[in-house]
Amino acid sequence: MASLDGARNEAPRTSLLNDPVIRGIVYQIVVGVLVVGFIVWIVNNTAINLAAQNKTTGFDFLWKTSGFDISFSLFPFDRTSFYWQAFLVGLTNTILVAVIGIFFATLLGFTIGIARLSSNYLISRLATIYVETIRNIPLLLQLFFWYFAVLKAMPAVKDSIALPLDTFINQRGLFVPKPLIDEGFTFVWIALIVALVGWFLLGRWAKARLERTGKRFPVFLAGLFGSALLIAVVWLISGAHLTFEPPVLNRFNFKGGVELPPEFVALAFGLSIYTASFIAETVRGGIQAVSHGQTEAAQALGLKEGDRLRLVVIPQAMRVIIPPLTSQYLNLTKNSSLGAAIGYPELVNVFTGTTLNQTGRAIEVIALTMLVYLTLSLTTSAIMNWYNARVALVER
Amino acid sequence: MTDFAFVRSEMTAAQPAPNRSSGLVAWLRKNLFASFSDTILTLLGVLFLIWAIPPLYGFLIGRAVPPGGTVEMCRVENVGACWAYIASEIEFFIYGFYPMAEYWRPNVVFALLVLLGAPLLIPKVPFKVINAVVFFVVFPVVAVVLLSGGSFGLREVPTEQWGGLLVTLIISVVGISLSLPLGILLALGRQSKLPIIKSLCIAFIELVRAVPLITVLFMASIMLPLFMPQGMTVDKLVRALVGVTLFSSAYMAEVVRGGMQAIGRGQYEAAQALGLGYWKRTGLIILPQALKHVIPGIVGNFIALLKDTSLVYIVGMKDLLEAVKTKNDAIEWASPTQSVTGYIFAAFIFWVMCFSISRYARYWENRLNTGHKR
């Protein structure tokens, strides 16, 4: 409608009722008044309802002792801890399962997405079956399946199923060896950082030389072997020890090792499997979006197979893949809230569940929970917008 | 001076194509054994199938207890799926606690859904407008009156007694048919040049898309009663419906907006040049093209909504998943494979619905693919 602005400088021959600009203002005032009125009505109702139920409002409850236990947390928490600590435990548990889920979903998703494009009939069919099956079954149902039907049906502790690498699985979860490192390891960490920085500098030098003289340097191989050599030498000299403490079956339970509760295993596993099917589709779409002419043009320029992929196809495919991939990561993070249904103590379970029930501060608790997810989403989309602007096609 | 040594006077018979480029051997060679690494992949795939299929067959069919079997048959060592359990509880999975004497009412609704819905989905059937009016206006009223009763001499059945597939279908059908128009309105608002309307729509869309459905459902089930005037209660089912519809409409809005942005400026300008007003321009020129572009996205949202209906379980609604989970814990059919069987059954139902929607969408995409093929 604003495109008619120019015409308004001429004498308007229409009545005020038909003037699009004035109409627009009227519409907006009407909508604005309705929305404000609606909000006032809701706030008023809520205040009356809360007063009738003798409920207080405010965030002071965060500094009261919680009085409940959380089965799984990264830092100490017990019934004498405060509600804000419960909030933090929920938040860290959400982030923990999201990070692990994202890692495995990416690995599996890229593998299956590429497999779907394979020229091998059997492989591409198997990948298609995976995607079409997993995508069309609700995540909550899959979580129930893994948790109630698979993990809860595992044998009792004394009949644990032994997996390779000293790992055991039973009703109480997954038991994996715990890596133990001594003080000497500080030097190894320093060596690792030095090696990575060196690798990065080597890459810059090689690129500068390539542009100056046209001579290639095998950065990847040199970097890999150089880093490995440096770390190995430092490791040997510093006398650092890396040992694994395997879980050992006692009379009643495993001792030592790391115990991953079944809720965590089921949630991480289910989220990875489910999200991988969507990531696979994203990857497939991204690779197919790069037209075949690009590959042929690269061939005509005389690029080698590896360079063709690395310099021509993958950068263009990534431009298509990355935005939907990030939204899949966000979806995974939001879907981790389904852990509440199988008892994994993440944000929604700890906060919107237990804390809300105990304190009755519905509005504050739900607002805080939504704020967390809102922050996560908005941060991610801000980063995405920055990235999109960076990689966007610059056209004439 | 020409001197032909030989001139053929008739055609020779065509020879069969060489073995290497057609037929089974060539197909195998091209698709399964094209190179050394390809052969290894194929062998790995075959090994996987050999490892996976026999146990799967044994569990689902071979060692399974067919419908009509008894609990004792399901309790033996190393038994397969207990289909007898599904068969004996199927009514609960479909109707929940709906009174048994009144099963004909949901049945009529199911039948109407199919009878009115199917002609709407098949392009060749005439009377689309009448059909649509009946389906979207008359049918919901009839369905509500029939299911909840309390009038026309029907016994009243409160929504707490509804359950199973019935509730899943109600939430998905209502959600799907309300979220698309709502989403279109939100998308139009977001594209609008009126700042207040635009910012309200953006705020709503971004807020809803940023949070998980569970929190929206919690909000609908816990806070909606607080928002209402005193003494006014909202039915639990309606609360879930509001939550699911609002949630889905925000996603729908973004899909529709994507389609609208894909349309060239020339279309808007041409419509303006023809003297069409805003609503005619949008309804006749922009939306038909925009929606056509984004059918895959819209259907993707429908499928997501159908799957998301299972989340209402968390706020205490009794949908299909809840019915299966309740019966999985029931003692009468307690057996080693009871819960696996239950979940496989529920997964299969959801899979059939979602997969057929996506196939139907593929069909429409091909039908509407007018002149955009390369």
Side-chain angles (χ1 to χ4, degrees):
Chain A
M1 272 155 225
S3 50
L4 291 178
D5 277 358
R8 259 171 63 75
N9 296 335
E10 322 283 319
R13 266 165 303 207
T14 49
S15 85
L16 279 183
L17 272 179
N18 285 333
D19 188 316
V21 175
I22 292 179
R23 267 196 183 190
I25 293 171
V26 172
Y27 284 151
Q28 295 199 73
I29 291 173
V30 171
V31 170
V33 167
L34 282 180
V35 169
V36 170
F38 183 65
I39 291 173
V40 168
W41 184 67
I42 279 181
V43 170
N44 189 29
N45 285 337
T46 313
I48 295 174
N49 283 328
L50 287 177
Q53 293 171 14
N54 267 332
K55 277 185 183 167
T56 45
T57 51
F59 287 97
D60 53 310
F61 74 93
L62 286 174
W63 283 269
K64 288 185 180 145
T65 44
S66 59
F68 64 91
D69 259 330
I70 297 179
S71 57
F72 178 76
S73 69
L74 293 180
F75 47 84
F77 183 91
D78 58 35
R79 53 189 66 236
T80 58
S81 304
F82 299 116
Y83 278 118
W84 65 265
Q85 284 169 313
F87 174 78
L88 275 190
V89 169
L91 186 59
T92 45
N93 281 346
T94 293
I95 292 174
L96 177 73
V97 79
V99 167
I100 289 179
I102 284 174
F103 176 75
F104 286 110
T106 312
L107 272 186
L108 192 60
F110 270 75
T111 315
I112 289 177
I114 293 168
R116 273 201 85 174
L117 290 174
S118 165
S119 58
N120 188 313
Y121 180 81
L122 190 62
I123 297 294
S124 70
R125 263 315 121 104
L126 284 175
T128 310
I129 291 174
Y130 174 89
V131 169
E132 291 293 348
T133 311
I134 300 295
R135 258 196 337 169
N136 287 322
I137 297 174
L139 175 60
L140 188 62
L141 181 51
Q142 296 188 28
L143 289 180
F144 280 174
F145 180 82
W146 296 123
Y147 183 65
F148 292 110
V150 176
L151 283 174
K152 283 279 145 186
M154 284 285 164
V157 175
K158 64 178 180 1
D159 311 312
S160 299
I161 300 173
L163 302 173
L165 298 173
D166 275 333
T167 306
F168 297 90
I169 192 162
N170 60 40
Q171 263 184 351
R172 296 209 195 149
L174 190 67
F175 295 81
V176 294
K178 185 185 199 171
L180 293 175
I181 50 178
D182 56 8
E183 308 90 67
F185 231 77
T186 325
F187 295 106
V188 179
W189 288 127
I190 295 172
L192 178 70
I193 293 170
V194 170
L196 288 180
V197 171
W199 194 337
F200 175 72
L201 292 177
L202 183 73
R204 288 187 57 171
W205 170 80
K207 199 178 172 197
R209 196 180 77 140
L210 178 69
E211 280 166 7
R212 206 173 58 243
T213 63
K215 281 186 189 139
R216 288 169 163 277
F217 186 81
V219 178
F220 182 75
L221 283 180
L224 192 66
F225 281 111
S227 313
L229 194 69
L230 181 68
I231 293 171
V233 166
V234 171
W235 192 322
L236 286 178
I237 291 175
S238 67
H241 287 288
L242 171 66
T243 45
F244 286 96
E245 178 197 76
V248 182
L249 184 58
N250 270 6
R251 270 179 68 188
F252 298 113
N253 205 350
F254 279 94
K255 218 177 144 52
V258 180
E259 178 186 348
L260 300 171
E263 296 83 21
F264 176 80
V265 176
L267 185 61
F269 192 71
L271 280 175
S272 312
I273 297 260
Y274 183 73
T275 315
S277 70
F278 289 89
I279 292 180
E281 283 301 89
T282 307
V283 169
R284 181 178 71 107
I287 295 177
Q288 279 179 338
V290 181
S291 78
H292 193 58
Q294 294 288 332
T295 317
E296 288 171 348
Q299 255 170 343
L301 284 176
L303 292 179
K304 286 191 270 181
E305 165 90 47
D307 287 342
R308 267 204 314 267
L309 278 179
R310 195 166 57 85
L311 299 173
V312 178
V313 176
I314 290 179
Q316 297 190 65
M318 283 321 259
R319 183 159 54 212
V320 182
I321 291 174
I322 297 252
L325 186 65
T326 350
S327 72
Q328 287 309 329
Y329 288 167
L330 262 184
N331 280 347
L332 188 146
T333 313
K334 285 189 278 175
N335 282 338
S336 71
S337 59
L338 294 189
I342 56 171
Y344 176 69
E346 47 70 64
L347 187 62
V348 169
N349 190 359
V350 171
F351 212 58
T352 324
T354 318
T355 304
L356 195 155
N357 284 341
Q358 288 194 1
T359 62
R361 304 279 172 90
I363 300 171
E364 294 86 343
V365 166
I366 290 184
L368 253 183
T369 316
M370 284 188 154
L371 194 68
V372 168
Y373 287 105
L374 195 64
T375 319
L376 278 176
S377 288
L378 292 185
T379 323
T380 316
S381 49
I383 296 172
M384 253 321 76
N385 287 343
W386 170 80
Y387 174 84
N388 273 337
R390 234 186 75 125
V391 301
L393 265 186
V394 183
E395 287 184 339
R396 280 156 291 155
Chain B
M1 205 173 85
T2 51
D3 182 21
F4 292 114
F6 171 73
V7 176
R8 194 185 287 284
S9 56
E10 77 279 353
M11 300 293 276
T12 48
Q15 287 187 341
N19 233 358
R20 280 167 174 277
S21 64
S22 75
L24 183 66
V25 174
W27 186 89
L28 285 177
R29 202 179 257 272
K30 181 163 171 275
N31 290 302
L32 294 177
F33 304 103
S35 65
F36 179 67
S37 53
D38 226 18
T39 311
I40 290 182
L41 280 179
T42 306
L43 289 181
L44 285 178
V46 169
L47 278 181
F48 172 77
L49 288 180
I50 291 173
W51 172 78
I53 288 185
L56 211 58
Y57 174 83
F59 183 82
L60 292 176
I61 299 160
R63 287 175 282 116
V65 178
T70 57
V71 198
E72 284 69 35
M73 291 165 73
C74 291
R75 282 180 184 157
V76 294
E77 184 91 358
N78 204 13
V79 69
C82 182
W83 300 123
Y85 155 64
I86 302 293
S88 85
E89 301 292 355
I90 190 80
E91 289 185 339
F92 186 79
F93 294 156
I94 296 178
Y95 308 102
F97 287 109
Y98 211 88
M100 209 170 281
E102 311 288 334
Y103 276 173
W104 63 272
R105 283 150 63 176
N107 285 342
V108 169
V109 172
F110 286 144
L112 280 177
L113 181 71
V114 173
L115 285 180
L116 295 172
L120 214 53
L121 297 179
I122 303 168
K124 281 203 180 127
V125 179
F127 309 118
K128 278 279 179 295
V129 177
I130 303 175
N131 196 340
V133 170
V134 171
F135 186 81
F136 287 109
V137 181
V138 182
F139 171 62
V141 177
V142 173
V144 167
V145 170
L146 254 183
L147 289 176
S148 52
S151 49
F152 300 108
L154 293 170
R155 202 179 111 202
E156 189 174 347
V157 182
T159 52
E160 282 78 40
Q161 294 185 6
W162 304 10
L165 188 61
L166 177 66
V167 165
T168 297
L169 280 180
I170 289 175
I171 297 179
S172 356
V173 171
V174 174
I176 285 175
S177 35
L178 290 185
S179 68
L180 184 59
L182 210 56
I184 291 176
L185 280 183
L186 281 170
L188 290 178
R190 191 171 184 164
Q191 295 287 78
S192 151
K193 293 205 171 74
L194 311 173
I196 294 182
I197 292 179
K198 187 176 177 171
S199 44
L200 280 174
C201 288
I202 291 182
F204 176 82
I205 293 171
E206 293 303 328
L207 178 72
V208 171
R209 270 165 25 103
V211 298
L213 176 57
I214 293 197
T215 55
V216 175
L217 285 175
F218 267 121
M219 196 161 153
S221 70
I222 297 173
M223 285 165 74
L224 213 57
L226 280 181
F227 290 162
M228 289 293 134
Q230 270 202 308
M232 191 174 148
T233 52
V234 187
D235 191 274
K236 253 181 132 180
L237 183 65
V238 177
R239 289 183 218 167
L241 278 177
V242 170
V244 169
T245 308
L246 288 184
F247 184 78
S248 183
S249 65
Y251 283 83
M252 210 59 94
E254 282 303 274
V255 170
V256 174
R257 180 171 76 110
M260 288 171 63
Q261 282 178 341
I263 293 172
R265 250 191 98 72
Q267 296 290 329
Y268 290 85
E269 289 165 356
Q272 267 181 339
L274 285 176
L276 297 181
Y278 177 76
W279 290 108
K280 276 192 173 166
R281 194 163 74 222
T282 311
L284 297 175
I285 309 287
I286 307 301
L287 276 183
Q289 299 185 65
L291 294 182
K292 197 167 94 176
H293 272 300
V294 291
I295 288 179
I298 293 177
V299 174
N301 271 345
F302 284 166
I303 294 176
L305 190 149
L306 187 55
K307 287 187 293 174
D308 280 346
T309 55
S310 57
L311 265 64
V312 296
Y313 158 79
I314 297 177
V315 289
M317 295 289 310
K318 299 185 176 68
D319 72 324
L320 174 62
L321 187 55
E322 197 270 354
V324 170
K325 194 167 175 314
T326 311
K327 283 293 164 187
N328 278 349
D329 298 336
I331 206 79
E332 307 101 69
W333 280 93
S335 57
T337 59
Q338 182 192 17
S339 54
V340 179
T341 314
Y343 290 129
I344 290 180
F345 166 75
F348 180 71
I349 299 284
F350 273 108
W351 185 83
V352 167
M353 294 195 286
C354 296
F355 191 69
S356 40
I357 295 180
S358 74
R359 286 291 116 170
Y360 179 70
R362 187 71 52 84
Y363 157 78
W364 261 107
E365 244 176 89
N366 291 334
R367 238 183 97 83
L368 287 179
N369 203 342
T370 46
H372 295 292
K373 257 188 206 133
R374 252 182 260 176

PDB file of all heavy atoms in Angstrom, chain A residues 19-30:
ATOM      1  N   ASP A  19      -8.912   5.848   1.085  1.00  0.00           N
ATOM      2  CA  ASP A  19      -7.480   6.127   1.040  1.00  0.00           C
ATOM      3  C   ASP A  19      -6.715   5.012   1.751  1.00  0.00           C
ATOM      4  O   ASP A  19      -6.898   4.787   2.949  1.00  0.00           O
ATOM      5  CB  ASP A  19      -7.216   7.470   1.733  1.00  0.00           C
ATOM      6  CG  ASP A  19      -5.782   7.900   1.549  1.00  0.00           C
ATOM      7  OD1 ASP A  19      -4.904   7.016   1.707  1.00  0.00           O
ATOM      8  OD2 ASP A  19      -5.538   9.080   1.246  1.00  0.00           O
ATOM      9  N   PRO A  20      -5.849   4.299   1.034  1.00  0.00           N
ATOM     10  CA  PRO A  20      -5.182   3.143   1.637  1.00  0.00           C
ATOM     11  C   PRO A  20      -4.339   3.511   2.850  1.00  0.00           C
ATOM     12  O   PRO A  20      -4.267   2.730   3.803  1.00  0.00           O
ATOM     13  CB  PRO A  20      -4.302   2.598   0.522  1.00  0.00           C
ATOM     14  CG  PRO A  20      -4.452   3.489  -0.631  1.00  0.00           C
ATOM     15  CD  PRO A  20      -5.511   4.498  -0.357  1.00  0.00           C
ATOM     16  N   VAL A  21      -3.714   4.668   2.832  1.00  0.00           N
ATOM     17  CA  VAL A  21      -2.845   5.007   3.963  1.00  0.00           C
ATOM     18  C   VAL A  21      -3.677   5.221   5.215  1.00  0.00           C
ATOM     19  O   VAL A  21      -3.390   4.677   6.290  1.00  0.00           O
ATOM     20  CB  VAL A  21      -2.019   6.263   3.629  1.00  0.00           C
ATOM     21  CG1 VAL A  21      -1.213   6.678   4.851  1.00  0.00           C
ATOM     22  CG2 VAL A  21      -1.109   5.989   2.465  1.00  0.00           C
ATOM     23  N   ILE A  22      -4.765   5.992   5.069  1.00  0.00           N
ATOM     24  CA  ILE A  22      -5.629   6.244   6.227  1.00  0.00           C
ATOM     25  C   ILE A  22      -6.272   4.949   6.701  1.00  0.00           C
ATOM     26  O   ILE A  22      -6.334   4.650   7.901  1.00  0.00           O
ATOM     27  CB  ILE A  22      -6.675   7.304   5.872  1.00  0.00           C
ATOM     28  CG1 ILE A  22      -5.943   8.630   5.687  1.00  0.00           C
ATOM     29  CG2 ILE A  22      -7.735   7.410   6.964  1.00  0.00           C
ATOM     30  CD1 ILE A  22      -6.813   9.771   5.318  1.00  0.00           C
ATOM     31  N   ARG A  23      -6.677   4.123   5.744  1.00  0.00           N
ATOM     32  CA  ARG A  23      -7.243   2.826   6.119  1.00  0.00           C
ATOM     33  C   ARG A  23      -6.257   2.014   6.927  1.00  0.00           C
ATOM     34  O   ARG A  23      -6.592   1.409   7.934  1.00  0.00           O
ATOM     35  CB  ARG A  23      -7.568   2.033   4.847  1.00  0.00           C
ATOM     36  CG  ARG A  23      -8.964   2.205   4.379  1.00  0.00           C
ATOM     37  CD  ARG A  23      -9.222   1.107   3.411  1.00  0.00           C
ATOM     38  NE  ARG A  23     -10.530   1.227   2.838  1.00  0.00           N
ATOM     39  CZ  ARG A  23     -11.070   0.285   2.097  1.00  0.00           C
ATOM     40  NH1 ARG A  23     -10.381  -0.797   1.820  1.00  0.00           N
ATOM     41  NH2 ARG A  23     -12.265   0.428   1.633  1.00  0.00           N
ATOM     42  N   GLY A  24      -4.994   2.014   6.475  1.00  0.00           N
ATOM     43  CA  GLY A  24      -3.964   1.266   7.185  1.00  0.00           C
ATOM     44  C   GLY A  24      -3.856   1.723   8.617  1.00  0.00           C
ATOM     45  O   GLY A  24      -3.808   0.910   9.541  1.00  0.00           O
ATOM     46  N   ILE A  25      -3.863   3.042   8.811  1.00  0.00           N
ATOM     47  CA  ILE A  25      -3.742   3.573  10.176  1.00  0.00           C
ATOM     48  C   ILE A  25      -4.939   3.131  11.009  1.00  0.00           C
ATOM     49  O   ILE A  25      -4.785   2.676  12.153  1.00  0.00           O
ATOM     50  CB  ILE A  25      -3.623   5.113  10.137  1.00  0.00           C
ATOM     51  CG1 ILE A  25      -2.294   5.484   9.478  1.00  0.00           C
ATOM     52  CG2 ILE A  25      -3.694   5.696  11.536  1.00  0.00           C
ATOM     53  CD1 ILE A  25      -2.152   6.947   9.183  1.00  0.00           C
ATOM     54  N   VAL A  26      -6.130   3.199  10.407  1.00  0.00           N
ATOM     55  CA  VAL A  26      -7.332   2.805  11.147  1.00  0.00           C
ATOM     56  C   VAL A  26      -7.256   1.338  11.544  1.00  0.00           C
ATOM     57  O   VAL A  26      -7.490   0.965  12.698  1.00  0.00           O
ATOM     58  CB  VAL A  26      -8.595   3.091  10.314  1.00  0.00           C
ATOM     59  CG1 VAL A  26      -9.817   2.504  11.015  1.00  0.00           C
ATOM     60  CG2 VAL A  26      -8.769   4.579  10.111  1.00  0.00           C
ATOM     61  N   TYR A  27      -6.883   0.485  10.561  1.00  0.00           N
ATOM     62  CA  TYR A  27      -6.768  -0.950  10.864  1.00  0.00           C
ATOM     63  C   TYR A  27      -5.843  -1.165  12.047  1.00  0.00           C
ATOM     64  O   TYR A  27      -6.136  -1.921  12.974  1.00  0.00           O
ATOM     65  CB  TYR A  27      -6.164  -1.709   9.670  1.00  0.00           C
ATOM     66  CG  TYR A  27      -7.106  -1.939   8.527  1.00  0.00           C
ATOM     67  CD1 TYR A  27      -6.624  -2.033   7.222  1.00  0.00           C
ATOM     68  CD2 TYR A  27      -8.466  -2.096   8.734  1.00  0.00           C
ATOM     69  CE1 TYR A  27      -7.463  -2.245   6.154  1.00  0.00           C
ATOM     70  CE2 TYR A  27      -9.318  -2.307   7.673  1.00  0.00           C
ATOM     71  CZ  TYR A  27      -8.816  -2.378   6.381  1.00  0.00           C
ATOM     72  OH  TYR A  27      -9.654  -2.593   5.343  1.00  0.00           O
ATOM     73  N   GLN A  28      -4.689  -0.486  12.003  1.00  0.00           N
ATOM     74  CA  GLN A  28      -3.689  -0.722  13.041  1.00  0.00           C
ATOM     75  C   GLN A  28      -4.188  -0.269  14.392  1.00  0.00           C
ATOM     76  O   GLN A  28      -3.952  -0.939  15.403  1.00  0.00           O
ATOM     77  CB  GLN A  28      -2.414   0.027  12.705  1.00  0.00           C
ATOM     78  CG  GLN A  28      -1.781  -0.500  11.456  1.00  0.00           C
ATOM     79  CD  GLN A  28      -0.339  -0.093  11.397  1.00  0.00           C
ATOM     80  OE1 GLN A  28       0.473  -0.619  12.120  1.00  0.00           O
ATOM     81  NE2 GLN A  28      -0.027   0.857  10.540  1.00  0.00           N
ATOM     82  N   ILE A  29      -4.880   0.879  14.403  1.00  0.00           N
ATOM     83  CA  ILE A  29      -5.401   1.350  15.696  1.00  0.00           C
ATOM     84  C   ILE A  29      -6.393   0.337  16.246  1.00  0.00           C
ATOM     85  O   ILE A  29      -6.343  -0.035  17.428  1.00  0.00           O
ATOM     86  CB  ILE A  29      -6.054   2.739  15.542  1.00  0.00           C
ATOM     87  CG1 ILE A  29      -4.964   3.770  15.257  1.00  0.00           C
ATOM     88  CG2 ILE A  29      -6.831   3.126  16.796  1.00  0.00           C
ATOM     89  CD1 ILE A  29      -5.494   5.137  14.912  1.00  0.00           C
ATOM     90  N   VAL A  30      -7.271  -0.181  15.358  1.00  0.00           N
ATOM     91  CA  VAL A  30      -8.261  -1.168  15.817  1.00  0.00           C
ATOM     92  C   VAL A  30      -7.562  -2.397  16.388  1.00  0.00           C
ATOM     93  O   VAL A  30      -7.856  -2.842  17.513  1.00  0.00           O
ATOM     94  CB  VAL A  30      -9.198  -1.560  14.653  1.00  0.00           C
ATOM     95  CG1 VAL A  30     -10.066  -2.746  15.067  1.00  0.00           C
ATOM     96  CG2 VAL A  30     -10.053  -0.389  14.244  1.00  0.00           C
TER      97      VAL A  30
END
